[in-house]
Amino acid sequence: PEHATENRNLTSLWWAFEGDTGSELPDGQIASQASKVLQDLKNLRTQGDTRPFFLAVGFHKPHIPFYMPKAFYDLYPPASQIPLPANPDPPIDMPYVAWTGYGTLRQYDNTKNVFTGTRCRKNSEQAISKACGFPDEIAQEIRKSYYACVSYIDSLVGQVLTQLETEGFADNTIVVLTSDHGFHLGEHREWAKNTNFEDATRVPLLVHVPNVTISGSRTNAFVELIDLFPTLTELTGLPVPPTCPTLSNVSKQLQGEYQIRSTIARC
């Protein structure tokens, strides 16, 4: 289509929109709105409003369906050249309960006809077999489209950060980039998010604190997303919330049945 408008009439798992930079897609609109909010905040500053702000910017992609401007799709080689996962097989002796049928990816016009009959249903013993996985050409197309969506969102994150700098907020604003879950791209013959494998449970977590963090530094420390709230309150000088009490009303009812975690991890 000439104009990129994501809608429910499109039934393909992946789609590269022609002739659009991404501004008309939902995520492009979100980035534009975030930039406008930063401009409005700067205007308030010029009027004497010095209150601190918290701005949450949530992008949809690379959530399914994989829709993006064609320019980002074209950043990558043809799908036939996209590498397949290095670990495509389920772990040896994996319990069947650890596997999920990634039904959400099977509902689109260009994926649902791959699986026919009953042998590939989730309750079938054959469901985790190679014969019930996506053919290589579809797996490569999905992987390429996912990468293209990541690049699209990367450009939008850059757009918002550029606006942050333009408005003069970059030197005193904490920036956190994270996600709510990971995503399988054929590893262990799995797709999407509904597993307990590392590919689905790990997320990106980038934190920039002006005059504190060192650009490019990394840590191998164990952290959780639940660490973010107490960490941000401490960094911004707000009262740090206490950890969960050892015995709450609920935990008292569960004594003797479950081992209750007495504290919440923090950075």
Side-chain angles (χ1 to χ4, degrees):
E2 289 187 6
H3 299 289
T5 54
E6 185 175 331
N7 59 66
R8 296 183 182 274
N9 294 325
L10 292 174
T11 55
S12 174
L13 176 57
W14 60 87
W15 192 274
F17 288 95
E18 295 272 8
D20 185 81
T21 60
S23 60
E24 296 183 25
L25 288 171
D27 283 319
Q29 296 173 13
I30 289 169
S32 296
Q33 180 62 24
S35 296
K36 182 180 182 302
V37 170
L38 290 170
Q39 292 172 351
D40 292 342
L41 287 168
K42 179 59 179 292
N43 289 334
L44 289 174
R45 287 286 190 273
T46 62
Q47 298 171 23
D49 189 340
T50 60
R51 291 176 298 173
F53 66 87
F54 175 87
L55 178 60
V57 184
F59 294 113
H60 294 276
K61 302 306 173 198
H63 197 284
I64 61 171
F66 304 126
Y67 296 162
M68 83 299 294
K70 191 173 183 296
F72 295 95
Y73 183 84
D74 291 342
L75 289 175
Y76 294 89
S80 60
Q81 299 177 23
I82 297 296
L84 291 164
N87 54 337
D89 299 316
I92 297 174
D93 297 326
M94 178 191 75
Y96 182 71
V97 70
W99 188 84
T100 183
Y102 52 91
T104 52
L105 269 70
R106 299 171 182 248
Q107 65 185 349
Y108 295 91
D109 284 353
N110 50 356
T111 56
K112 64 183 179 183
N113 293 327
V114 173
F115 308 97
T116 58
T118 60
R119 66 186 178 91
C120 292
R121 291 179 180 171
K122 185 172 188 318
N123 59 357
S124 166
E125 293 182 1
Q126 301 296 319
I128 62 174
S129 68
K130 185 174 182 179
C132 289
F134 284 126
D136 288 352
E137 61 270 19
I138 290 182
Q140 290 170 302
E141 190 64 71
I142 294 174
R143 288 168 69 86
K144 173 177 178 174
S145 299
Y146 182 93
Y147 300 156
C149 283
V150 171
S151 293
Y152 172 42
I153 296 305
D154 182 66
S155 73
L156 296 180
V157 170
Q159 175 182 323
V160 175
L161 292 179
T162 297
Q163 194 69 50
L164 187 77
E165 186 169 0
T166 298
E167 304 305 336
F169 294 130
D171 292 336
N172 64 347
T173 301
I174 299 170
V175 177
V176 177
L177 176 66
T178 190
S179 181
D180 54 345
H181 57 77
F183 202 88
H184 282 275
L185 290 172
E187 300 84 6
H188 304 309
R189 205 165 297 133
E190 283 285 11
W191 296 86
K193 63 180 181 179
N194 298 313
T195 79
N196 280 327
F197 290 118
E198 189 175 80
D199 294 291
T201 58
R202 295 188 67 183
V203 298
L205 180 58
L206 287 75
V207 180
H208 169 70
V209 185
N211 302 315
V212 176
T213 52
I214 301 173
S215 179
S217 60
R218 303 178 61 142
T219 177
N220 292 321
F222 178 79
V223 296
E224 304 173 271
L225 293 183
I226 201 170
D227 296 326
L228 280 175
F229 186 76
T231 300
L232 291 176
T233 54
E234 179 178 335
L235 287 169
T236 54
L238 296 172
V240 179
T243 56
C244 287
T246 302
L247 293 177
S248 64
N249 290 334
V250 175
S251 64
K252 288 179 181 179
Q253 299 174 31
L254 299 177
Q255 286 184 73
E257 298 182 36
Y258 301 94
Q259 183 177 357
I260 305 300
R261 184 176 178 182
S262 60
T263 61
I264 291 178
R266 288 190 50 217
C267 292

